[in-house]
Amino acid sequence: MSLMRRLIDELPAQLRWAAAAEVPELALATEGLVLGMGGSGFAGDVAAVFAEAQGVRVAVHKGYGLPGWAAAGHIAVVAVSHSGNTEETLSGVEAAHTAGLAVAATATGGVLAQRASEWSLPYLAVPPGAQPRAAAGYLAGATLRLLESAGVVTGTVAALTEAADVAEALLAGDAPAVAGEVAASLRGRIGIIYGSGPLTAAAAGRWKAQLNENGKVPAWWSVLPELDHNEIVGWAALPAIGSDAVGVVFLHDGGEDARTHRRAQLTAELMAPVHVAGTVASRGAGPLARLFSLVVVGDLVSVAVAEQAGIDPVPVAVIERLKKALAE
Ligand code: F6R
């Protein structure tokens, strides 16, 4: 079993760590803004889904600086960087600090931890590990706990515990087999992941990123109902691409709009001969558990895709090279 495959098995323990973590006090706010890139930015996607289910807005910023509206709001800014050294995230923290916004941070260390100490920012250290994307339970959990400390969301401990239970049951149950089937159906194809609403859109983004980073294959994602207004037409002129070169995976969630569910069925039919590589439905009751249930399967698929190709899923040499070149 590869290291990355073993790390997926750690997800439930990571979520439980977050549920039990000692969280610093934050200034109260009515909405959140999460700064983070890649595997760390996914924590923001999770927080946005969780908050939306409570009727609260948490925005995610994946880039330099801050969004233009940030200075005006009564917001809790949470900076997430596994290494603590991601330049886009650090530039956002600096901008937020300069603008006098309430900023909290979570990282394993690095410059972000130093800034937190210099500027007395509330800081939640997550345990170090092999790769940011393999720390999704720590990072998403820490982000949620910090947002709860700012009064932006509620019920994170129970939600993290349910997510851990559901992930554990899936890992011990049928998820590895389901993932193996999807990976086999994606063999030699570019994965295109279709979500069916905001929760599955976040999961689809994670699937895409994990296929890229673990599987080392191109992948893209899109979401219903929007894709029915453009992308569905884009398969017509090059039918061989759809039938031979890609595999579409539909993600579903019990909380999705019934009209979107119907759209997904019709879309799959109307897209033919585009190859459908699988359909995966979420499990669990709360939104966090449902989202992580899809993450578990997607993470397993990405590792199975790497294993099929005889590739080690862990290293992401080109990302490291790019960061080094930018630093020089
Ligand atoms: C690597 C990974 C990347 C990083 C990203 C940001 O496993 O997932 O997407 O997460 O380059 O780095 P950090 O997370 O250290 O801020």
Side-chain angles (χ1 to χ4, degrees):
M1 192 189 272
S2 70
L3 170 62
M4 189 56 82
R5 175 64 189 82
R6 286 202 302 278
L7 290 170
I8 296 172
D9 279 339
E10 283 184 10
L11 175 69
Q14 293 188 7
L15 294 163
R16 289 191 208 289
W17 170 89
E22 282 280 328
V23 182
E25 263 184 42
L26 267 67
L28 290 181
T30 50
E31 55 187 291
L33 171 64
V34 179
L35 314 176
M37 305 300 300
S40 295
F42 178 65
D45 299 334
V46 173
V49 166
F50 186 78
E52 195 197 354
Q54 299 186 357
V56 176
R57 183 163 52 172
V58 170
V60 190
H61 184 66
K62 300 182 180 184
Y64 292 95
L66 289 176
W69 52 264
H74 187 45
I75 55 173
V77 180
V78 178
V80 189
S81 172
H82 188 261
S83 61
N85 294 325
T86 296
E87 66 173 31
E88 297 95 317
T89 311
L90 290 171
S91 85
V93 172
E94 210 156 288
H97 181 66
T98 306
L101 294 171
V103 193
T106 181
T108 58
V111 177
L112 188 52
Q114 283 166 25
R115 293 280 177 276
S117 152
E118 283 161 24
W119 297 339
S120 304
L121 309 178
Y123 177 72
L124 181 49
V126 298
Q131 282 288 338
R133 62 189 186 278
Y138 290 139
L139 296 169
T143 303
L144 287 172
R145 295 294 312 281
L146 288 169
L147 287 168
E148 181 156 29
S149 180
V152 174
V153 294
T154 59
T156 61
V157 171
L160 286 163
T161 306
E162 196 220 343
D165 292 344
V166 168
E168 209 157 62
L170 273 168
L171 285 161
D174 61 345
V178 170
E181 277 168 31
V182 176
S185 195
L186 281 175
R187 196 179 194 122
R189 295 170 180 274
I190 292 169
I192 299 192
I193 318 303
Y194 280 177
S196 47
L199 186 149
T200 43
R206 170 75 178 185
W207 275 58
K208 177 247 181 237
Q210 292 289 76
L211 283 167
N212 295 151
E213 292 188 71
N214 288 341
K216 328 284 183 222
V217 288
W220 281 274
W221 71 277
S222 203
V223 64
L224 288 158
E226 175 63 17
L227 75 88
D228 275 354
H229 299 272
N230 35 65
E231 191 159 325
I232 191 173
V233 190
W235 295 111
L238 303 169
I241 300 267
S243 59
D244 305 338
V246 305
V248 174
V249 180
F250 284 88
L251 302 185
H252 285 292
D253 172 53
E256 76 199 18
D257 192 304
R259 294 165 293 186
T260 309
H261 191 80
R262 178 74 186 125
R263 274 179 180 274
Q265 291 164 334
L266 287 172
T267 301
E269 283 168 33
L270 291 168
M271 277 179 1
V274 177
H275 175 72
V276 175
T279 300
V280 180
S282 65
R283 308 259 180 95
L288 192 69
R290 302 201 315 268
L291 175 48
F292 269 103
S293 74
L294 292 169
V295 167
V296 165
V297 180
D299 285 10
L300 291 169
V301 170
S302 69
V303 168
V305 163
E307 284 168 355
Q308 269 174 186
I311 288 169
D312 179 358
V314 174
V316 280
V318 70
I319 298 181
E320 310 302 341
R321 275 210 301 280
L322 180 68
K323 286 182 179 178
K324 213 167 149 233
L326 283 166
E328 281 160 9

